[in-house]
Amino acid sequence: MTWGECKIIALQKMAALSVSYLAESRDTRPYLEIMTPPAKEALLMITAARPLIKVLEIEQQRHSDGQNSRRYDLPALTKDFRRLKDNSVYLERNGVSKKSYDWELEAGTVLVLPNESGLWRAYYEAYPRLLSEESRDTDVIDLPEDAASLLPLYIASQLFKDDDLNQAV
């Protein structure tokens, strides 16, 4: 779903738009101007309940410097890091991927891997890309389609609170 499609659906739910394209008018303009804050709030709430899972790949070569481990600051490596998924680190060698239990997480953000060669994959929960006033109607909502379908419903409910509290639920 794109940001433009989300706005259309939200306006249709509010009966402020009767067509299937985004038309700014005196009826829709006040709603369009205040849609972004509830959209941001909804994105964070939806991903708290249904995490957005992404993968970080780390290609590591064994070093002979006497160090037994390597440290990786996950928020520095990914712009959207929220938290590491439980038991979600894998090591691939020679085309075979296996779950690894030989790693640690320090302070919730620093991944400590053993000094072993291979492609490490760490699955993590990500923050969604938030919408802003500069977001374009063609920008794709950073959620799976089923989760994105909740976004216009939440936006409409929040906008209804100012107009008709009975319809806000």
Side-chain angles (χ1 to χ4, degrees):
M1 173 183 299
T2 66
W3 177 223
E5 291 167 335
C6 180
K7 291 192 283 189
I8 289 169
I9 295 168
L11 290 170
Q12 288 171 336
K13 295 290 180 195
M14 299 176 66
L17 187 67
S18 59
V19 293
S20 60
Y21 56 89
L22 195 55
E24 190 170 318
S25 68
R26 66 180 176 84
D27 294 331
T28 62
R29 187 172 299 113
Y31 297 121
L32 291 169
E33 289 174 353
I34 59 173
M35 273 190 186
T36 305
K40 286 181 184 179
E41 183 180 11
L43 283 167
L44 292 172
M45 288 191 314
I46 290 168
T47 56
R50 186 185 188 281
L52 182 59
I53 306 301
K54 295 189 178 179
V55 63
L56 170 65
E57 293 186 344
I58 300 170
E59 184 71 46
Q60 182 174 276
Q61 298 300 320
R62 182 172 179 80
H63 292 279
S64 57
D65 59 4
Q67 299 264 347
N68 291 333
S69 60
R70 299 280 174 230
R71 286 178 162 66
Y72 297 94
D73 182 7
L74 297 174
L77 295 175
T78 65
K79 64 183 184 301
D80 56 1
F81 180 79
R82 183 180 249 171
R83 72 181 65 88
L84 192 66
K85 282 193 53 68
D86 293 334
N87 298 318
S88 61
V89 178
Y90 294 79
L91 174 59
E92 181 179 317
R93 281 193 224 142
N94 303 321
V96 177
S97 183
K98 291 186 179 180
K99 184 179 273 197
S100 175
Y101 298 97
D102 193 18
W103 58 274
E104 294 179 21
L105 189 63
E106 293 178 350
T109 61
V110 178
L111 180 62
V112 182
L113 297 175
N115 188 12
E116 295 181 31
S117 295
L119 177 63
W120 292 87
R121 287 190 184 93
Y123 291 86
Y124 67 97
E125 294 179 18
Y127 285 107
R129 187 178 56 256
L130 295 178
L131 298 165
S132 69
E133 299 303 327
E134 290 77 40
S135 295
R136 297 173 308 216
D137 289 344
T138 56
D139 290 347
V140 176
I141 304 292
D142 190 19
L143 291 175
E145 198 65 31
D146 61 330
S149 67
L150 299 172
L151 195 58
L153 300 174
Y154 182 81
I155 292 169
S157 75
Q158 295 303 297
L159 298 180
F160 260 138
K161 287 194 319 190
D162 292 332
D163 285 357
D164 186 351
L165 193 55
N166 290 329
Q167 295 210 32
V169 288

